[in-house]
Each structure stands twice: as C-alpha cells, then as structure tokens.
Amino acid sequence: MGVVYAAYDEELERRLAVKLLLPGLRSERHSHGEVRLLREAQALARVSHPNVVQIHEIGSYGTQVFVAMELVDGVPLSAWRRAQPRSLAEIVAMYLQAGRGLVAAHSVGIIHRDFKADNVLVGSDGRARVADFGLARVLSAGPEVTIRARPSGERAIARTEAGMIMGTPAYMSPEQHRSAAVDERSDQFNYCAALYEAIYEVRPFAGRTVDELAAQVAAGLVEPPPEPGMAPPGLHRALLRGLEPDPAARWPSLAALLEQLERFARASDPASERQRRGFTGMLVALVTVIAAGQVYGALVMPTAMTVGLLVAVS
C-alpha cells in the first residue's frame, strides 16, 4: 500500500524512515489505504518499547500522507533466519524479543493482526522490532466493518491482502479466516505459526489455496515436523497449544507463552549452563569436603581419646 524511504531530519540531525501512501490508493480523503496508514501511526504512537518500531511524526504534504518513524539498520526477521545457520536457542531468543514487543502492544489494547517474520525488523544491534501495524486494531474501538472477500491462488497464502480478510492467510487464526472478532489470542496464534515455521522450516498448516488452508486451520491439523526431535517436546507442546483452533484452549496470554519460551531459553543458554554446572560442581565439592571431614573425625576422635586416657593413667 505504500513505499518507505530513508530520510534525514535536519533539525534533530537523525536518520528516519518515511512511509508514503501510494498515490493510486488515495483517490479520496478517507480511502482504505489512508485509513490503514493512519491506523498504523496511531497504533505505533501508543506503544513505547525497545522491541517496537518507534513513530516520530504523522502528517501530510499537499495531497501526500506520510509517517516518519525509526529507521532500523537491519533486515526482516525472515531474512535474518536465512542469512546463516541459526541454532534453536538463537531462533527462540530472537522471537522472544519480538514477542515482548507484541505484549507491549497488547498492554495498551493494540492487536497487531498480521504478525509474521516479514513484519519484524532485526537491527544490526541484534535487537528485534515489531513493525507494520497497518492492520492493527484497538480493542476499545468498537465494531469494525470488514470485507469478506477472500484472496485466491497460492501466492495469496503468504501475502497480506488489502481490502480482503485481515491478515496473512498462512499465519492467520481460525477467527481471522472467518472474519470474526479477534483479541490478543489471535496474535498468539500468528506468533506461534511464525515461530513454528522458523524452527521447523515448514509452515504449520498446509493448503494450496486459502480455502484449503482455512479448513486445515479450523480443524487444527498441524503439519508434523520434517524431522522428529528438532525441538524439545516441551517447546513443541507449547507451540501446539498456541495453535489450538479454539482461542480458549490457547495460552491465557502471549505473556504466559513467553514465560514458557524463556524457561527453554535459559535451559539452552550456554552461559546459564556453565553457571549451572559451576554451581553444581561447587555443591559437589562442598559435600565431598563435609563428608571427608566427617570420615576424618570418625577416624581421629577415637585415637585422641585413647591418647588422653593413656596420659591420665600414667
């Protein structure tokens, strides 16, 4: 719906990213494209978090609407994943960052509705930032009119469709496919679908068309991993719970899911493992010293008592 330019703010002496609405999408004052751009700016303005792209200004120049935001020197999370081999721990750690950005949005009543790896930017500083809130929804905004037309074709599965169902079909929850009401548990579904794909390099639901895909999602028919054991059973079960067709069966919140992922991250972190082994080694050494002292005491005490008795007798 738009194009993003790198720009320079001469007054504040900083580089920015400026998103402009494509002229063809702005045929009237309240066109669909303009509404989406304004929605993104308003959503971003409500969230202040290191893992969310920061907005600086929204305005217009002549007939051109623009949003000036943080310029991230980096790549989409999808490109980061493909750039080189990534360990399971690295993937989970990066998605944890993105998840914290989503949780921050949820805390102010913002639902992203289109979370996927392409909508997360990984900076050269190693920090993930959730972006592209163009489909974001404010929970307190009341009912929303949506167009129920469905995209068709294989390419549409992995692409956000303007004016169609809200989201990217490959990652959408069942309620999104039905154009039903959504809450943060729908973002949780999107998040788990994206993380599942990042870990197993296969999308959780198959389908050559959007309708086939929607049927698989509604039935909860998750594709099995290409190789068993690619992720610990606990991590796999956590993702499957987030991909439940019934929102009530998912994690009570994305924050609750992140707690489970953080436990895995801590368990698989080399530094934490070294600390754990060091503590265990110290504990073993301490127990050994105590045990040795007890044995030494048992051997020495009788001898000392015997010497004492001999001295007393003499």
Side-chain angles (χ1 to χ4, degrees):
M1 73 172 199
V3 59
V4 181
Y5 292 94
Y8 184 73
D9 185 339
E10 295 181 342
E11 291 185 3
L12 297 179
E13 297 183 347
R14 62 182 176 183
R15 298 178 68 206
L16 301 172
V18 176
K19 177 178 284 188
L20 303 175
L21 186 66
L22 291 176
L25 293 180
R26 196 175 184 276
S27 57
E28 57 185 69
R29 176 65 182 167
H30 297 291
S31 68
H32 178 77
E34 183 174 286
V35 169
R36 280 187 58 184
L37 189 65
L38 291 173
R39 179 187 292 146
E40 177 176 18
Q42 292 164 353
L44 285 171
R46 294 181 61 166
V47 186
S48 179
H49 192 273
N51 297 121
V52 175
V53 170
Q54 299 299 295
I55 185 170
H56 299 305
E57 183 183 357
I58 180 172
S60 62
Y61 183 78
T63 59
Q64 183 67 67
V65 177
F66 70 86
V67 176
M69 62 186 73
E70 172 188 8
L71 177 64
V72 180
D73 178 17
V75 297
L77 181 53
S78 53
W80 174 89
R81 173 67 179 87
R82 296 190 301 267
Q84 64 186 61
R86 305 288 183 184
S87 69
L88 182 59
E90 287 178 305
I91 294 170
V92 172
M94 193 60 73
Y95 270 82
L96 270 170
Q97 290 192 51
R100 294 183 191 111
L102 272 184
V103 169
H106 294 169
S107 70
V108 293
I110 300 294
I111 308 303
H112 192 287
R113 298 200 296 184
D114 196 22
F115 181 89
K116 56 185 177 182
D118 285 341
N119 286 343
V120 178
L121 299 175
V122 179
S124 56
D125 56 0
R127 177 156 53 97
R129 299 152 172 90
V130 182
D132 242 323
F133 279 76
L135 295 184
R137 173 141 178 80
V138 181
L139 287 180
S140 59
E144 177 182 54
V145 177
T146 57
I147 299 174
R148 297 184 63 88
R150 303 185 66 83
S152 60
E154 294 185 21
R155 287 188 59 200
I157 290 175
R159 186 177 61 198
T160 304
E161 292 289 331
M164 302 277 187
I165 51 178
M166 295 294 185
T168 303
Y171 310 97
M172 280 167 39
S173 63
E175 54 269 29
Q176 285 178 290
H177 278 286
R178 298 193 305 269
S179 294
V182 301
D183 57 25
E184 67 174 41
R185 292 172 297 182
S186 187
D187 274 357
Q188 180 188 142
F189 189 100
N190 303 160
Y191 179 86
C192 287
L195 180 52
Y196 191 100
E197 181 181 23
I199 292 174
Y200 297 120
E201 298 187 47
V202 62
R203 289 179 184 147
F205 300 99
R208 292 173 299 175
T209 66
V210 173
D211 287 331
E212 288 181 6
L213 180 66
Q216 297 290 98
V217 170
L221 298 178
V222 178
E223 291 290 294
E227 297 179 22
M230 293 181 70
L235 175 59
H236 185 73
R237 287 193 299 270
L239 292 177
L240 291 183
R241 181 173 176 181
L243 293 171
E244 284 285 346
D246 181 6
R250 298 171 201 159
W251 294 94
S253 66
L254 181 59
L257 169 60
L258 296 188
E259 287 181 9
Q260 300 298 314
L261 297 182
E262 285 170 351
R263 290 177 185 175
F264 165 78
R266 286 194 298 267
S268 59
D269 180 57
S272 297
E273 180 64 15
R274 286 195 298 271
Q275 291 176 358
R276 186 186 66 80
R277 288 180 179 178
F279 177 77
T280 302
M282 290 174 60
L283 186 61
V284 170
L286 180 60
V287 170
T288 302
V289 169
I290 293 173
Q294 290 175 339
V295 172
Y296 176 77
L299 293 174
V300 172
M301 287 300 292
T303 304
M305 290 174 66
T306 302
V307 171
L309 287 173
L310 289 174
V311 170
V313 171
S314 61

